[in-house]
Amino acid sequence: MAVEMLANRNVLIVGATGGIGSETTRLIKNGQANVFITGRDTKKLSQIAKANNIPEEQAFSLDITNAQAVEALADTIHSQIGHLDILINAAGAGYLNPLEKTEADMFSQLIDVNLKGAFHLMRYFLPPMKEAKKGLVINIPGVLGKAPMAGAAAYSASKYGLNGMVKSIREELKRTEVRLTNLYLGGVDSDFWDNIDMRVNRDKFINAKEAGRAVWFLCQQPASGVVSEMVIQPFNHQVI
Ligand SMILES: NC(=O)c1ccc[n+]([C@@H]2O[C@H](COP(=O)([O-])OP(=O)(O)OC[C@H]3O[C@@H](n4cnc5c(N)ncnc54)[C@H](OP(=O)(O)O)[C@@H]3O)[C@@H](O)[C@H]2O)c1
């Protein structure tokens, strides 16, 4: 059943080099989907392509803050397959610090990756789905996209923005069967936390494998309805 859902589906996983993205890639590829992946770290990207038997020509180096690069990738993929069945945006940047330590440059960087990057992806990959009147787009605003936390002003600004943007786009797609899902994850143990200067107990976090499994689960859902959101949090940090 699970395999049938994904067999021959055209799936793009953006941020496949990350903790959640790489686990998602493995599961989706096992489901016999036709998988395209992106990342910025080209070495990691080819390792992931190789490990999952994804042809090199379906693994793309991409910085999602570069609108022209996103548009060019969309053209390349659409010229091969028409439209994607599933777009998974697992790319993002983290930063958690009190307001007085948050510089404007860092604020802009988070907005550029987490919000404008997601905008570019949907701007260029959604129209063919809209025309076909079907498809699935999964974004990961995380719980800080709808609940506050001390030290999260800049990160939450980008993720609340993503949340609002997806909900507004959903209004534009109501006459289609394009499904937009927001996945609200609490802390996931991945490289995301390596450069975050905050005392956290990563042992108690959701593990990246389980987070990848949640994305895979969303991709298994039948197209007769839409999972508009899903929330998964560590037991010891339930903010929603
Ligand atoms: N980990 C958590 O606790 C948690 C909780 C809730 C939500 N989330 C969200 O889940 C998503 C994935 O997080 P993760 O835990 O897997 O983080 P991660 O392991 O740090 O991976 C981040 C991914 O984003 C990519 N990326 C970063 N900046 C990019 C850019 N400018 N252009 C293209 N790709 C870029 C990275 O690519 P390269 O490595 O190739 O540069 C990497 O593939 C993010 O949106 C994050 O905000 C994470």
Side-chain angles (χ1 to χ4, degrees):
M1 168 75 169
V3 168
E4 274 170 33
M5 283 292 194
L6 283 169
N8 304 316
R9 295 293 157 120
N10 295 306
V11 183
L12 171 63
I13 300 154
V14 176
T17 44
I20 300 170
S22 56
E23 290 299 336
T24 301
T25 300
R26 192 174 55 78
L27 290 167
I28 304 264
K29 186 64 176 69
N30 279 345
Q32 315 299 326
N34 182 32
V35 175
F36 299 84
I37 55 172
T38 80
R40 286 177 313 176
D41 181 334
T42 47
K43 201 171 157 206
K44 228 172 173 181
L45 188 67
S46 29
Q47 278 167 358
I48 285 166
K50 214 171 177 181
N52 292 288
N53 280 325
I54 295 168
E56 282 283 330
E57 58 277 15
Q58 295 191 189
F60 302 91
S61 164
L62 177 74
D63 182 334
I64 58 170
T65 65
N66 181 339
Q68 281 177 331
V70 177
E71 185 178 17
L73 178 64
D75 288 348
T76 303
I77 292 180
H78 291 147
S79 68
Q80 286 177 40
I81 53 134
H83 64 88
L84 287 173
D85 294 299
I86 304 177
L87 165 64
I88 298 165
N89 174 16
Y95 177 83
L96 297 171
N97 253 317
L99 188 63
E100 60 274 18
K101 282 199 179 172
T102 304
E103 301 300 340
D105 279 355
M106 178 52 74
F107 189 92
S108 301
Q109 216 176 298
L110 291 172
I111 297 290
D112 282 350
V113 180
N114 295 341
L115 181 53
K116 282 174 76 181
F119 165 76
H120 299 321
L121 290 171
M122 288 190 283
R123 171 69 184 79
Y124 295 114
F125 283 99
L126 260 176
M129 286 188 184
K130 186 175 178 182
E131 209 174 306
K133 294 189 185 306
K134 60 182 182 179
L136 168 65
V137 179
I138 300 173
N139 280 287
I140 315 179
V143 292
L144 295 179
K146 67 160 154 183
M149 190 179 85
Y155 182 73
S156 272
S158 67
K159 293 294 195 170
Y160 269 69
L162 172 59
N163 183 6
M165 178 169 69
V166 169
K167 286 179 175 169
S168 294
I169 294 170
R170 184 177 292 139
E171 294 299 313
E172 291 182 29
L173 296 172
K174 279 199 163 154
R175 287 176 192 281
T176 74
E177 289 180 7
V178 177
R179 299 171 291 154
L180 301 183
T181 301
N182 275 346
L183 175 58
Y184 299 99
L185 293 169
V188 177
D189 187 13
S190 73
D191 291 355
F192 179 91
W193 291 93
D194 287 354
N195 298 316
I196 290 183
D197 183 20
M198 181 183 260
R199 274 185 53 196
V200 288
N201 190 350
R202 284 172 64 164
D203 290 348
K204 302 252 178 192
F205 278 2
I206 299 161
N207 74 46
K209 265 197 172 116
E210 286 166 15
R213 200 173 162 81
V215 179
W216 170 86
F217 171 83
L218 289 168
C219 297
Q220 303 300 318
Q221 298 314 300
S224 57
V226 52
V227 181
S228 19
E229 52 184 64
M230 181 158 129
V231 181
I232 311 180
Q233 304 177 85
F235 287 103
N236 67 341
H237 198 247
Q238 299 182 52
V239 298
I240 296 178

